[in-house]
Amino acid sequence: MRGDPVPAPTTLIARDFTEFRTAVSQSFVPLHVTAGGDAFRGRIRSSAADEVQVSEVTASPHVVERTPELIARGERRYYKLSLILAGTGLLVQDDRQAVLRPGDVALYDTHRPYSLVFEEDFRTLVVMFPQRLIDLPADLVGRLTAVRMSGKEGVGNVVVPFLAQLGGNLEQLAGPAGARLAHSAVDLLSTLVATELDLAHANADPHHELMRRIRAHIDANLHAPDLTPARIAAEHFISTRHLHGLFQEQGTTVSGWIRARRLEHCRRDLLDPVHAARPVAAIAARWGFVDAAHFSRVFKTAFGRAPSELRRELTAARSA
């Protein structure tokens, strides 16, 4: 017995450019698309789990633009990562541009203007996910938009094959292992971005390595209720004031960062069938929330639903 059949990915086949232009905005975020020629063909295959969408796009030449006017229509902030599988593409954002060839990846931010130019037939894999899922400050990630990262060396040689395999098995995202696969994809992308940042800024930014160690220390100790700024500063032989200053430079606070990381781990556990029988309070305590009522309030503020509501919805969906 292999259980119920796994849902097929969504497939949109455009018979002309008008259909493709509509499909692009429906599949991702609102975009301005212009065709590069008369005869046009396009296909978008997509699947998603826990707000992580993976899409394979095959199309004729065209240009995609995310304009300030389109950005103003929505408040959700996403990162998108493109992996070129065939053909070439040009990504422009933040006064940088990256020429992407098969095996190359690049990151971009949907909350800032960008352009994608495809001058020949191409095939690309696009991973789109909320910015809060990546375990790096937005200010740091912003230094790496529209920067080519190779999938043929270093960490990229590990990450890119995983993404390519996921793109070839999109139906798995809709199955029981979907949330874990989605989280694995985002975690690998975070690792790739962090590695590229380490290489680019290790010598230029004296605070970079210290912040990397501090973030790693926080993640390793999220379970500890006494994970305070004073304790973190003492562990790294700096003053509490210096610690607060480091996080302020990156647009966040120590306490806010700890809370966000704890909440994200709690949300992942609540979504994971492996933890379906574990009480909500036990999951909260596992990640450092000792007051169940406080946890429920901050969780609802962050995600729009109380943890118990999220669990009931998931239980109903699994039994449907």
Side-chain angles (χ1 to χ4, degrees), residues 68-147:
E69 293 76 17
L70 294 174
I71 293 169
R73 294 182 187 178
E75 296 180 356
R76 298 297 302 275
R77 294 172 178 254
Y78 293 94
Y79 289 125
K80 293 169 73 176
L81 181 132
S82 286
L83 162 60
I84 298 295
L85 299 171
T88 61
L90 172 68
L91 169 63
V92 181
Q93 188 172 55
D94 297 329
D95 297 322
R96 291 187 292 266
Q97 57 183 19
V99 177
L100 306 176
R101 297 180 174 83
D104 291 339
V105 296
L107 188 76
Y108 42 114
D109 183 343
T110 67
H111 210 65
R112 297 202 298 279
Y114 67 80
S115 299
L116 280 163
V117 181
F118 300 101
E119 295 183 337
E120 59 183 339
D121 290 356
F122 72 96
R123 183 164 62 96
T124 185
L125 193 72
V126 180
V127 183
M128 185 172 77
F129 54 95
Q131 293 187 9
R132 59 174 171 76
L133 293 187
I134 200 166
D135 60 350
L136 291 166
D139 179 66
L140 276 182
V141 179
R143 302 178 189 181
L144 209 61
T145 52
V147 172

Side-chain angles (χ1 to χ4, degrees), residues 43-59:
R43 185 185 72 166
I44 303 174
R45 296 177 66 249
S46 298
S47 191
D50 189 20
E51 301 183 88
V52 179
Q53 177 181 300
V54 182
S55 304
E56 183 187 68
V57 181
T58 305

